[in-house]
Amino acid sequence: MKKALLLPIAALLTSVSAQAKSIASDDKQIPVSSVSQVVQLAKVERDSVTKTVSVVVTDHGKSTDVSPTASIYLTFTAFAEMGNVSTSFPIDHVLSFASAVRKSAGIYEIKAQVYRDEAGIQDITYTIDTNQMFIDEDKMRKACGGDFCDGELKTSIEVKETLKKAQF
């Protein structure tokens, strides 16, 4: 009987919520001096183009409260002899970065810890769909018609955020 009562209580304590959003590419320069980590998630060479997807974590310094101490960006480069294309996406400002992995083609997962006023400190998982980014990069190269195709890619990614109460 006691176990039956504990399960609903445990479920409430580890409540999960999710939301999705679209994030547009950002041409903001990431200050090199603040980069604390780079995690390469994918590197593919096809048709003389080397495409790389990475997560870049920047450090904001220490905090005396629950202010974010890091920012997470997803970056993309597609380097070729006839053109270099790149872009980045600001994912979030976080308390701490935990991990980043490639789940499947075009799908990546980032884990971090955030502070949300209404919910306190939360473990967050960002599931990122970059498939539109790859489609837009291909369209950009085709629009160049075989000429040099350097530039910032204007596109967007879909990000699903799943929050779970942090366990201490």
Side-chain angles (χ1 to χ4, degrees), residues 24-166:
S25 54
D26 185 8
D27 57 4
K28 177 185 171 197
Q29 298 296 315
I30 300 169
V32 175
S33 60
S34 70
V35 172
S36 61
Q37 275 183 286
V38 176
V39 179
Q40 189 174 80
L41 299 174
K43 185 173 185 176
V44 176
E45 184 154 345
R46 189 177 304 129
D47 300 328
S48 301
V49 179
T50 303
K51 297 181 182 187
T52 306
V53 177
S54 299
V55 167
V56 175
V57 180
T58 61
D59 190 339
H60 295 224
K62 302 292 182 198
S63 173
T64 58
D65 57 11
V66 288
S67 296
T69 59
S71 290
I72 299 173
Y73 299 88
L74 185 86
T75 64
F76 170 72
T77 58
F79 293 143
E81 184 178 342
M82 292 291 287
N84 299 316
V85 175
S86 62
T87 194
S88 64
F89 304 89
I91 302 301
D92 207 350
H93 303 295
V94 300
L95 294 174
S96 64
F97 167 78
S99 65
V101 295
R102 178 182 183 266
K103 298 301 277 184
S104 61
I107 307 295
Y108 305 94
E109 186 178 270
I110 299 171
K111 293 186 181 222
Q113 202 167 64
V114 296
Y115 177 78
R116 300 287 193 250
D117 288 332
E118 66 281 357
I121 296 176
Q122 302 279 302
D123 291 324
I124 189 166
T125 301
Y126 305 92
T127 304
I128 303 168
D129 182 339
T130 62
N131 286 302
Q132 186 61 48
M133 175 185 74
F134 288 105
I135 291 167
D136 291 344
E137 186 258 341
D138 188 51
K139 286 179 186 176
M140 182 179 173
R141 288 195 185 279
K142 285 180 181 167
C144 293
D147 280 336
F148 282 97
C149 200
D150 287 335
E152 285 288 320
L153 179 63
K154 300 298 181 201
T155 186
S156 64
I157 56 175
E158 295 300 315
V159 179
K160 179 180 151 199
E161 296 180 354
T162 305
L163 291 163
K164 181 179 171 186
K165 184 75 175 162

